[in-house]
Amino acid sequence: MFVRLIKAISMGMHTLHASMSYREDIVMMYKELTAITQETSNDCTQYLINKGLLPRPPYVTMPDAVEFVHDKSYMSGFNPFGNKRALNTVEAAHIYYTIETNVTGMQMITGFAQCAHEKEVKQYFSQGVELAKSIIKEFNEMLLQSGVQPPSTSGGNATRSTVAPFSDKIMMYCTSLFCGFSLSKNALGTAFSLRNDIPAKATVLTKDIFEYAHQGAKLMIKHGWMEEPPQMEERNQLLN
């Protein structure tokens, strides 16, 4: 489940970087990496399904014809006394995936918190567990309001082991990577959600995720764990 989530992040990054590249050999490199990543991701998904460790998304009745929105109430959702329309398939898919990834992330960070060496790193991971719980709770309620079964799985639970699988540095980097993925995923889900209460809720949670990621970045800088990307030329210094 950890590798599957890493591959989901990799697929998005390789595609983005390919679209930003101009040299043909670099574009081809990202094309090959995307193909490898897609294959690995599918292998992970099929393996977990065969083992019964991955929840299946909810089924939906296939429409018989194309329908168009004719009423502005389609976008409503703030009024607590009004009737909210059922989630459409795009909204349900984004919400479902957000819950699924946060369940995996919660279990991962729980394991990290158990075995981290630095006390403040342990505390940081513990905060991440609570943040993931709050995200899962908020979106679970939204699915249940539309009669959609939230994802649940018996696999991926953290063991009682306190032996670190990685160094504190790598565990912090993984958490930072997952935060970045969560921020971009929330932005994508918000862009494609037409019921106005969904973007509003996602925006609040995005703020919490950003603040958590920022706190982690400061912790990584403090311990000398954050690699600095190549810098553009500092013109002000060159001209003085």
Side-chain angles (χ1 to χ4, degrees), residues 186-221:
N186 274 4
L188 185 64
T190 298
F192 287 97
S193 296
L194 295 177
R195 210 176 77 179
N196 53 26
D197 60 322
I198 301 174
K201 183 164 290 188
T203 300
V204 174
L205 294 173
T206 296
K207 177 178 176 292
D208 295 338
I209 296 167
F210 176 79
E211 291 176 350
Y212 180 71
H214 187 64
Q215 181 184 349
K218 291 192 291 185
L219 192 57
M220 293 175 72
I221 292 172

Side-chain angles (χ1 to χ4, degrees), residues 65-177:
V66 176
E67 296 184 7
F68 293 88
V69 178
H70 298 287
D71 194 330
K72 289 186 292 184
S73 63
Y74 186 85
M75 302 178 68
S76 64
F78 282 131
N79 187 354
F81 302 105
N83 292 324
K84 297 179 182 178
R85 65 163 173 80
L87 296 169
N88 62 39
T89 53
V90 176
E91 294 162 345
H94 281 288
I95 292 173
Y96 188 91
Y97 191 65
T98 297
I99 298 171
E100 182 185 283
T101 52
N102 272 277
V103 168
T104 301
M106 179 184 69
Q107 296 295 343
M108 181 196 73
I109 300 178
T110 299
F112 287 176
Q114 289 177 187
C115 59
H117 297 291
E118 297 287 340
K119 182 178 179 180
E120 55 189 345
V121 174
K122 281 180 175 287
Q123 293 173 345
Y124 177 72
F125 289 145
S126 296
Q127 292 174 18
V129 172
E130 296 306 314
L131 176 58
K133 286 180 181 178
S134 66
I135 295 172
I136 294 167
K137 179 181 177 182
E138 290 289 338
F139 284 117
N140 264 347
E141 290 178 356
M142 193 169 287
L143 285 184
L144 290 172
Q145 286 173 2
S146 287
V148 180
Q149 171 66 42
S152 58
T153 175
S154 59
N157 294 328
T159 69
R160 298 182 64 185
S161 174
T162 57
V163 178
F166 311 117
S167 65
D168 284 8
K169 175 182 177 181
I170 293 181
M171 290 190 290
M172 285 293 299
Y173 176 76
C174 287
T175 306
S176 173
L177 194 65

Side-chain angles (χ1 to χ4, degrees), residues 7 10-11 14-15 18 24-40:
K7 292 298 101 180
S10 298
M11 279 192 288
H14 294 330
T15 303
E24 186 176 7
D25 58 335
I26 301 297
V27 173
M28 292 304 298
M29 179 190 72
Y30 282 122
K31 183 178 179 181
E32 293 172 3
L33 287 173
T34 300
I36 294 170
T37 304
Q38 287 176 339
E39 183 178 359
T40 306

Side-chain angles (χ1 to χ4, degrees), residues 6-25:
I6 290 291
K7 292 298 101 180
I9 298 172
S10 298
M11 279 192 288
M13 292 178 67
H14 294 330
T15 303
L16 176 63
H17 293 158
S19 68
M20 295 167 59
S21 301
Y22 294 85
R23 272 178 43 179
E24 186 176 7
D25 58 335

